Amino acid sequence: MHHRPTLAKINLSAILSNYQQACKLAPKARQVAVIKADAYGHGAIEVATYLEPHVPAFAVAFLDEALALRAAGIGKPILILEGLTGEEELRLAEQFNFWPMLHSNEQLLALMSLTPTPELQCWLKVDTGMHRLGLTPVDAQSWADKLCREMKQRPVLASHFSCAEVLDSPISKHQMQQLFALAAHMECEVSLANSAALIRLPQSAVGWNRPGIMLYGCPPIADKTVAELNLQVAMTVTSQIIAIREVMPGEAVGYNCRWQAEQKSRIATLAIGYADGYPRLTNSASEVFLHGQRARVVGTVSMDMLTIDISHIPEAKVGDEVELWGGNIPVNEVAAHANTIGYELLTRVTQRMHRAYLRD
């Protein structure tokens, strides 16, 4: 039973449409659907269940995320982006058909020390310039050689762009050249393109791609809209007006009196706050959508509530639905007003916000 009028409406058919758009951008490659961080806040089990007939594999960040999907009945291979360590994790990977992205000498030594050697589809993470995780190209070549000899398999060589959203970035070109040269020498498949690279760097979108944020209808590139990228917004966050009051000139609204009315104003209170994932640190330019128009968030966002100025919307009344982000207010726009990115807001939607799933 759900009583609070605040929810995240998740359109699963939009996520499938976005996945199909990723496939259209690289028709000769295969696309791993990235559903880490609870499918970027959209619900990993629901998203995986809906996408499973259409995808060759999923990707998550770590082992527990993969095990939760198996417990829910998801059967497709699952790539584990942070790799695995130690015998127990590697045996679980073998048992459950997880693909480890091995990124360190320690992880690979742990794998090679096991008898019998687990039968795993291994991916090797190569550090081509992100400098976060990965083997040096020299170490990657030596380990790829060992895996070919001892495990009778060619690993997928993967890397991660640091600046994929930047047009004509020399860093991206250098990263691509390094990985492709190594892969050609080793006769291995590659995995390099994320969402931004699928759009900006189509020449990198070969082998296995890893679309993430674009699956959820959030543009990975700041200067492109959802419509321009043929994507559909997957999450719409809505709440309701639970109170309306008149505020006189000079009167303040909310904690610390951050906002004061310059003229007589009509202020509505919504049943959503930072404990639901709406950013507290938003500036005074953030807007919401109701009755076909925008209204500004005023005052400090509270834990459970926030206030908006509806002086220009006389028809607004208690009980009206208000969109916080979605098709009319892009999540990237809300994020920019809070000095962050859409990814963070989507993944910060908390468990207390009810999710309603649309399937068609």
Side-chain angles (χ1 to χ4, degrees), residues 74-106:
I74 300 301
K76 286 277 168 79
I78 302 174
L79 173 64
I80 300 182
L81 296 167
E82 290 177 12
L84 298 165
T85 349
E87 179 169 7
E88 184 196 359
E89 292 190 7
L90 290 160
R91 293 291 179 205
L92 282 169
E94 181 180 38
Q95 180 186 343
F96 288 112
N97 191 21
F98 298 150
W99 298 348
M101 176 92 81
L102 301 168
H103 59 76
S104 68
N105 291 317
E106 293 79 9

Side-chain angles (χ1 to χ4, degrees), residues 175-197:
Q175 288 191 264
M176 203 163 27
Q177 284 161 357
Q178 280 195 89
L179 191 72
F180 285 178
L182 182 63
H185 179 69
M186 301 303 302
E187 296 180 357
C188 291
E189 276 199 292
V190 300
S191 174
L192 186 55
N194 56 6
S195 294

Side-chain angles (χ1 to χ4, degrees), residues 9-70:
K9 299 170 187 171
I10 313 290
N11 185 336
L12 293 170
S13 56
I15 297 174
L16 174 57
S17 169
N18 297 334
Y19 178 79
Q20 289 165 337
Q21 177 61 19
C23 295
K24 282 179 198 157
L25 290 170
K28 293 180 180 169
R30 284 168 289 177
Q31 323 294 329
V32 179
V34 180
I35 56 170
K36 61 181 180 166
D38 201 25
Y40 292 53
H42 293 68
I45 288 165
E46 291 83 0
V47 170
T49 303
Y50 196 81
L51 289 185
E52 183 157 39
H54 308 277
V55 307
F58 292 106
V60 298
F62 50 88
L63 182 62
D64 291 352
E65 290 185 329
L67 290 169
L69 291 169
R70 285 287 181 263

Side-chain angles (χ1 to χ4, degrees), residues 143-212:
W143 280 113
D145 269 337
K146 282 198 185 87
L147 291 172
C148 290
R149 276 200 317 274
E150 297 180 33
M151 292 178 74
K152 305 291 186 280
Q153 58 146 284
R154 294 195 183 280
V156 177
L157 297 179
S159 197
H160 193 63
F161 282 120
S162 59
C163 306
E165 62 283 352
V166 178
L167 196 58
D168 297 326
S169 161
I171 297 167
S172 296
K173 284 186 182 145
H174 178 65
Q175 288 191 264
M176 203 163 27
Q177 284 161 357
Q178 280 195 89
L179 191 72
F180 285 178
L182 182 63
H185 179 69
M186 301 303 302
E187 296 180 357
C188 291
E189 276 199 292
V190 300
S191 174
L192 186 55
N194 56 6
S195 294
L198 272 165
I199 296 157
R200 280 274 201 246
L201 296 159
Q203 66 272 38
S204 73
V206 295
W208 289 93
N209 300 318
R210 307 187 304 273

Side-chain angles (χ1 to χ4, degrees), residues 324-338:
L324 285 298
W325 69 69
N328 299 292
I329 306 281
V331 68
N332 281 345
E333 178 189 315
V334 181
H337 289 310

Side-chain angles (χ1 to χ4, degrees), residues 225-253:
T225 65
V226 173
E228 285 171 331
L229 296 174
N230 291 316
L231 301 177
Q232 297 175 26
V233 172
M235 180 192 289
T236 302
V237 172
T238 62
S239 189
Q240 277 182 14
I241 296 176
I242 57 171
I244 294 175
R245 64 193 8 82
E246 302 244 305
V247 173
M248 302 312 284
E251 290 188 325
V253 173

